[in-house]
Amino acid sequence: MDHFAWPELAYLGHSFGGQLGSWLAGVYPERVRCLIVLDTMGPRSVDMGDTLAAVRSRIDAAQSLHRRQCGRKPPSYTFVEAVGKMMAGRPSRLTDESARILAGRALVRVDGDDDKYTFASDQRLKLAFYPLMTFDQQKQILGTIACPVVFVLADENCGRYSTYLKDAYEFYSKRPNVTIRVVSGDHDVHLNYPDRVFKHVADFLQEHYKN
């Protein structure tokens, strides 16, 4: 934001991007004018008794990734193969069109071979790196979010909000500046059926981001 000289912004994020937006709005509440979060409600909390196991698991995963990548060229694929890999690797189902849209911005051509592509994304993003905090600690940050917030949740994932995101759901449900909307679909509903999400986002922005 400082790089672009933006004093404030409207933030829209999906999944982990939504978690980042929640933290931005909590740590710098004066910089976020309104917040739109798609199908997440914040990072998973960690009970105090599970801290050591969580830290060790993350270190082991990072070391394993480093060993797999060390001295090795990234694998290359045809465009069709890359799209298939993306569709197979996601927990929710992408339509062919959605997968091709994602692939178009996630792939780079291999030098000297226009028919082959590699994934441009940093593989470390596959690692769990949400903050190792109890939910009481998280509330110290999330509780300072002052801007209007809308959560657009996919109904096929609502089980998460009665299990490991239960605390976050109950916390946000009681906040006067928070609106929760539920749409039909899975974690990628915004890609597969954008019309189901668009109205909620557009209505929210019209109400809360007027110049």
Side-chain angles (χ1 to χ4, degrees), residues 2 7 10 12-13 53 55 57 78 82 86 91 97 117 138 143 152 157 159 164 185-186 194 199-200 205:
D2 291 343
L12 185 153
V55 171
S57 174
T78 66
M86 288 183 60
E97 181 182 8
Y117 298 81
Q138 290 185 27
V152 182
N157 278 340
Y164 65 84
D186 60 22
K199 183 180 186 305
H200 297 298
L205 287 174

Side-chain angles (χ1 to χ4, degrees), residues 128-146:
F129 50 88
Y130 50 83
L132 290 173
M133 292 184 176
T134 66
F135 190 69
D136 284 339
Q137 289 175 305
Q138 290 185 27
K139 283 195 297 186
Q140 295 295 311
I141 296 174
L142 302 179
T144 65
I145 298 175

Side-chain angles (χ1 to χ4, degrees), residues 53 71 73 83 95 102 105 117 132 142 147 200:
K73 287 186 177 181
V83 170
T95 63
L102 279 183
R105 68 187 194 213
Y117 298 81
L132 290 173
L142 302 179
C147 66
H200 297 298

Side-chain angles (χ1 to χ4, degrees), residues 133-185:
M133 292 184 176
T134 66
F135 190 69
D136 284 339
Q137 289 175 305
Q138 290 185 27
K139 283 195 297 186
Q140 295 295 311
I141 296 174
L142 302 179
T144 65
I145 298 175
C147 66
V149 183
V150 63
F151 288 94
V152 182
L153 308 179
D155 62 357
E156 293 183 24
N157 278 340
C158 282
R160 295 187 301 164
Y161 308 116
S162 60
T163 53
Y164 65 84
L165 290 179
K166 178 181 178 182
D167 290 338
Y169 186 89
E170 292 180 349
F171 170 74
Y172 281 121
S173 297
K174 298 172 183 176
R175 304 283 294 178
N177 58 321
V178 171
T179 301
I180 297 174
R181 299 284 184 246
V182 178
V183 298
S184 175

Side-chain angles (χ1 to χ4, degrees), residues 69 74-77 82 85-86 102-110 116-126:
Q69 291 186 319
S76 59
Y77 310 90
K85 186 173 179 62
M86 288 183 60
L102 279 183
R105 68 187 194 213
L107 300 174
V108 292
R109 278 193 169 91
V110 175
K116 291 287 188 175
Y117 298 81
T118 60
F119 285 97
S121 57
D122 189 332
Q123 294 301 299
R124 290 173 296 181
L125 292 174
K126 295 180 179 179

